[in-house]
Amino acid sequence: MLLLSPSQQAELRIETNRASRLFGVTEYEEPLESLLRRVLTRVEGVVAAEGRVRSLLDAVTAIAGNLDVRQTLERIVAAAADLAAARYVALGVIDHEGEGLSEFITHGVSEQDATRIGPLPSGHGILGLLISEPKPLRLHDLRDHPKSYGFPENHPPMSSFLGVPVRVGERVFGNLYLTDKFGGGDFSDEDEHAVIALAAAAGVAVENARLYGTVRRREQWLDANLQIQQAFLRKVDLDTALHLVSSKAREVLGADVAMVVLEQDDATLQVRAVDGEPDDLIETTLPREGALADVVDRAATVRLAEGLRIPGLDSVASAMLVPFTGPGGAGGALLVGTRTARRGRWLAEDDVHALQGFGAQAAIAMDRAQAQQDRAALAVLADRDRIARDLHDVVIQRLFATGLTLESTVRRVVEPEVVERLRGAVVDLDTTIRDIRGTIFELSRDGSAAGLRTQIRDITAIARDTLGLRPDLVLEGPIDSAVPDSLRPDLIAVLMESLSNAARHASPTSVEVRVAVEGSGPDLSVLAEVRDDGKGFSTPDHESGLRNMRQRAQARGGSFSVESAPGAGTVIRWRAPLADEVATDTDGKP
């Protein structure tokens, strides 16, 4: 009972009748307390509606204030939970095929509970009903619905349910699922209307975030293409360029791994660049079959929702392959992948088209850079030919004429010492002419076999650190052109082993390395000689290194010898014939 005086009760009745008319209550006589409760209930409803509208506006403002799609989705489920006082809320994003869920964002489920529950739902049962029939659904107890099935063993119990579709334009983007209203009871009409309004605002926010993400992604692709173009203008080597392509593709798409594979022959492909995985995958040989064959041979774009079976890439759960043409038109593929298992398509169509365009642009840039390098190489070869002609037509002729003049002068000189000097000068001129002719021969080649001289110089330079002195180096004859690629590893190995032995056992004060191409025709051979003035030996302490050098010579049909004595130093000579090697090089061509 309300303790009011008679005058206060009369005044309250007048005000109550006025409020009753305001809220649509017919004025009639009834107990004061009952009438007052009715009025207060209406007032509380108005206040609650006003608070719900304010909460809805706050929620719309919160979700509209972010342009990241993932963060926007997380804010939507949190706002729905606050708006309808729901214990659990989830937002299921429908996949591109419209048949299941590609993402499932939850609110109210802890990480420990999520781990016990296991894999996220893919869109069956009640969830699938809302996908096939995108309209609001409210249930007193979802466990009583005939479509209620598929709950994992450790799934928390749920009763009251409210489902509302989220539309982006004319397309259903996903569904909001709310369960277990706080305080018990069912979700009300007001809850449903508020969540429908939130879903409408959420659709607009999601579309804005996705459009912003698309624009940002296109900017990133343009920037990646620009960096690729600039890199090739700097004349980077092929392996560096391919790694740049893979790293940019992974960076823009937010992938876990990206790689470039190029055809090696008709049956195999080779990994040429990797980003996001260990570098030891580089140069891995892959069979030209399955998805890789589709991409390389038919220029098809392949989605691999279940990953790619490549040794060392077991962690990749979802992958995408697009065609990639290497230098010289070599077929290949650009692969991007993620370690996270995805339902439906991993990448949107815009990303796939952008990745295809990026691969094509990178391939064009590489071909253009290769063409520039080829033109530069042709210019160098033309210059080499000009120098070779000048040496042959001008320098050698002048030296030859000088030698003839000196020889004729010898016959007029009486003093033996002068005669000896003149003859020595003629011999030096002959040696110079021979060296120049060897240089002309080197310059006349296309340069494909060049580099052996440089390798030998590098070896002797490196040996300085272990020997404590720099070996004297003598190179004679057309070493770069006459020694084929197939023989070079043996020659390099012999030089390295000989210098290593001298450093470890001889303690020399001087070392001389001589590499010479000698003879002609069937007697053409290469000689590697390493001479030191160290301790020497009568019997070597270790035979393994000498045995390996001897076996290399025997395998080449050559010879190997060691001359040494205590205190007299050591001379190692290794010789291999070149006539057969030149006739049949590594590629089998004469």
Side-chain angles (χ1 to χ4, degrees), residues 374-443:
D374 291 343
R375 286 196 297 270
L378 288 174
V380 171
L381 291 175
D383 201 38
R384 287 158 61 100
D385 288 342
R386 178 186 60 79
I387 295 172
R389 286 194 304 271
D390 290 344
L391 288 173
H392 182 273
D393 297 340
V394 179
V395 177
I396 287 183
Q397 299 305 323
R398 288 180 180 176
L399 291 175
F400 188 71
T402 302
L404 291 176
T405 301
L406 291 176
E407 286 182 351
S408 64
T409 304
V410 169
R411 291 191 294 269
R412 302 179 183 180
V413 177
V414 178
E415 296 182 15
E417 183 179 353
V418 177
V419 171
E420 187 65 27
R421 288 188 178 183
L422 288 174
R423 286 177 177 172
V426 171
V427 171
D428 289 342
L429 286 175
D430 289 341
T431 302
T432 302
I433 291 172
R434 185 170 61 251
D435 290 343
I436 292 176
R437 282 176 173 166
T439 302
I440 291 172
F441 185 73
E442 299 288 352
L443 290 173

Side-chain angles (χ1 to χ4, degrees), residues 434-443 445 449-453 456 475-484 488 491 515-520 524-526 578 582:
R434 185 170 61 251
D435 290 343
I436 292 176
R437 282 176 173 166
T439 302
I440 291 172
F441 185 73
E442 299 288 352
L443 290 173
R445 292 172 58 84
L452 181 56
R453 288 174 177 264
I456 296 172
L475 300 175
E476 298 177 0
I479 294 172
D480 280 338
S481 58
V483 181
R488 293 186 182 193
L491 179 62
V515 179
V517 173
E518 301 176 336
S520 61
L524 188 67
S525 64
V526 59
L578 294 178
V582 173

Side-chain angles (χ1 to χ4, degrees), residues 134-157:
K135 57 184 180 180
L137 176 65
R138 188 151 43 102
L139 302 173
H140 168 67
D141 192 335
L142 60 85
R143 293 169 292 187
D144 296 334
H145 196 278
K147 287 283 188 179
S148 179
Y149 59 85
F151 286 91
E153 180 180 354
N154 295 315
H155 197 283

Side-chain angles (χ1 to χ4, degrees), residues 505-506 535-544 546 550 562-567 569-570:
H505 308 299
K535 298 177 180 179
F537 56 86
S538 56
T539 302
D541 295 334
H542 302 280
E543 276 284 347
S544 59
L546 298 177
R550 184 176 292 106
V562 180
E563 298 177 4
S564 184
T570 303

Side-chain angles (χ1 to χ4, degrees), residues 14 62 67 86 147 176-177 182 231 269 320 357 409 429-430 455 567:
I14 294 173
L67 292 176
K147 287 283 188 179
L176 273 170
Y177 309 106
F182 278 110
L269 302 166
M320 171 70 65
T409 304
L429 286 175
D430 289 341
Q455 287 180 272

Side-chain angles (χ1 to χ4, degrees), residues 474-535:
V474 178
L475 300 175
E476 298 177 0
I479 294 172
D480 280 338
S481 58
V483 181
D485 292 343
S486 60
L487 187 58
R488 293 186 182 193
D490 287 336
L491 179 62
I492 295 298
V494 167
L495 292 175
M496 293 178 66
E497 180 66 26
S498 300
L499 290 170
S500 176
N501 287 341
R504 286 182 295 176
H505 308 299
S507 301
T509 59
S510 68
V511 176
E512 180 184 280
V513 176
R514 178 172 173 262
V515 179
V517 173
E518 301 176 336
S520 61
D523 296 327
L524 188 67
S525 64
V526 59
L527 169 68
E529 182 180 277
V530 178
R531 182 187 299 268
D532 69 69
D533 63 352
K535 298 177 180 179

Side-chain angles (χ1 to χ4, degrees), residues 187-229:
F187 291 102
S188 63
D189 290 339
E190 290 78 6
D191 293 329
E192 180 177 330
H193 294 154
V195 174
I196 290 174
L198 176 66
V204 175
V206 169
E207 181 68 5
N208 289 339
R210 295 179 70 176
L211 290 175
Y212 176 77
T214 300
V215 173
R216 287 287 302 142
R217 188 70 58 82
R218 289 176 180 174
E219 290 179 354
Q220 290 175 315
W221 282 122
L222 290 174
D223 181 66
N225 279 315
L226 179 61
Q227 292 189 42
I228 293 293
Q229 300 284 346

